[in-house]
Amino acid sequence: MSTRTLLSPAALARPRGKAAYWTVFTGTVLLFVIAFLFPVYWMVTGAVKSADEVARTPPTLVPERWHVSGYTGAWDLMQLPTHLWNTVVQAAGAWLCQLVFCTAAAYALSKLRPAFGKVILGGILATLMVPAQALVVPKYLTVADLGLLNDPVAIWLPAVANAFNLYLLKRFFDQLPRDVLEAAEMDGAGRLRTLWSIVLPMSRPVLGVVSIFALVAVWQDFLWPLMVFSDTGKQPISVALVQLSQNIPLTVLIAAMVIASVPMVAMFLAFQRHIIAGIGAGSTKG
């Protein structure tokens, strides 16, 4: 079965072929860079424009005057330190609970082989077929009955039941080299010791991916925190941006959105190596 390319190896070896290849490649990369980065640039520069310049038609590509007051106003008027801290507490707690319980459940289903394990896994995966909106009312009634409204625990507990991340961890554990685990058992390591000393260090790529998914899901969630937190002082940044946007200048609101997105962008840049490694998490070498 032959494969066809736009340029043959012989054509690529010629100067004209190389020039055509690099022109197409560079143009494609620049197109994607502009498509992804231009909205970010527009939001960041929109916060330093004046209110009249933001609403001007046609819009200006570069601000005529740079006004830092948009960012300082957002920091003070919208009480961003309080709401950012609320979001950090909620996201960190949900991440820790999810990492502990999902990892333990995935390890049990993968390596301990419990009775009716496949049935249990099938029931867990079946929850992925249920629309998230259909679970909002039962979750709210449960949290209200437990007296957890306006409490970060109301965010942590529902985050634990993440079937996708559990299945992702189980599939990774399934492909770990069995001879390594058997060697640990022969050395006298118990199940918990094997999990802590052998499985978790080998699972850093997939744990990084699961961590990213867990943190981003809580950071960008809006509906559930809106229902759980009626106290404005305990609301996360996603809810506060909407609740406090009334009678706020547009430039201040844009600046607040820029500040709210900085932690997630920084986290992605810090953990991008783990994300890339987690894409090929199934190809584990023994």
Side-chain angles (χ1 to χ4, degrees), residues 265-286:
V265 174
M267 185 182 66
F268 173 79
L269 295 177
F271 293 99
Q272 60 178 335
R273 181 170 57 88
H274 298 281
I275 299 173
I276 296 172
I279 294 175
S283 57
T284 308
K285 296 182 179 180

Side-chain angles (χ1 to χ4, degrees), residues 79-91 219 235-237:
Q79 303 173 2
L80 290 187
T82 300
H83 298 294
L84 284 173
W85 175 248
N86 293 339
T87 311
V88 168
V89 172
Q90 296 165 23
W219 198 275
Q235 290 175 346
I237 190 67

Side-chain angles (χ1 to χ4, degrees), residues 109 116-126 163 166-167 170 174:
L109 292 172
F116 307 106
K118 292 184 178 179
V119 177
I120 295 173
L121 179 62
I124 293 173
L125 294 180
L166 189 149
Y167 181 70
K170 180 189 177 300
D174 287 343

Side-chain angles (χ1 to χ4, degrees), residues 251-265:
T251 54
V252 174
L253 182 59
I254 296 175
M257 291 188 290
V258 172
I259 296 174
S261 62
V262 167
M264 288 294 99
V265 174

Side-chain angles (χ1 to χ4, degrees), residues 40-277:
V40 178
Y41 166 80
W42 192 259
M43 184 170 64
V44 172
T45 56
V48 297
K49 295 179 181 179
S50 63
D52 296 335
E53 189 176 358
V54 170
R56 185 182 304 173
T57 304
T60 56
L61 186 61
V62 180
E64 295 177 350
R65 284 189 175 183
W66 296 71
H67 302 272
V68 191
S69 57
Y71 288 99
T72 57
W75 190 260
D76 296 330
L77 293 177
M78 305 195 73
Q79 303 173 2
L80 290 187
T82 300
H83 298 294
L84 284 173
W85 175 248
N86 293 339
T87 311
V88 168
V89 172
Q90 296 165 23
W95 163 76
L96 182 60
C97 292
Q98 191 174 138
L99 212 60
V100 171
F101 290 101
C102 284
T103 301
Y107 178 72
L109 292 172
S110 175
K111 298 304 179 184
L112 304 186
R113 308 285 182 178
F116 307 106
K118 292 184 178 179
V119 177
I120 295 173
L121 179 62
I124 293 173
L125 294 180
T127 60
L128 294 174
M129 310 301 173
V130 182
Q133 293 79 4
L135 301 176
V136 170
V137 174
K139 285 197 303 183
Y140 180 81
L141 294 177
T142 303
V143 169
D145 291 339
L146 294 175
L148 298 178
L149 295 179
N150 291 314
D151 195 311
V153 182
I155 302 295
W156 300 349
L157 291 183
V160 173
N162 192 306
F164 177 78
N165 285 345
L166 189 149
Y167 181 70
L168 190 65
L169 288 166
K170 180 189 177 300
R171 290 296 299 168
F172 184 87
F173 294 158
D174 287 343
Q175 300 182 27
L176 290 177
R178 188 155 191 84
D179 54 349
V180 177
L181 304 182
E182 291 175 352
E185 293 178 4
M186 293 177 62
D187 290 340
R191 299 292 188 180
L192 186 59
R193 177 74 177 183
T194 302
L195 172 63
W196 181 259
S197 301
I198 306 298
V199 175
L200 291 183
M202 297 176 64
S203 305
R204 288 178 182 175
V206 71
L207 291 176
V209 174
V210 169
S211 299
I212 294 293
F213 288 164
L215 291 172
V216 171
V218 176
W219 198 275
Q220 68 180 6
D221 194 12
F222 172 76
L223 179 60
W224 181 243
L226 177 65
M227 297 178 62
V228 171
F229 293 102
S230 58
D231 186 353
T232 307
K234 297 182 178 180
Q235 290 175 346
I237 190 67
S238 59
V239 179
L241 287 178
V242 177
Q243 298 285 70
L244 301 176
S245 61
Q246 305 296 330
N247 301 322
I248 293 292
L250 183 58
T251 54
V252 174
L253 182 59
I254 296 175
M257 291 188 290
V258 172
I259 296 174
S261 62
V262 167
M264 288 294 99
V265 174
M267 185 182 66
F268 173 79
L269 295 177
F271 293 99
Q272 60 178 335
R273 181 170 57 88
H274 298 281
I275 299 173
I276 296 172

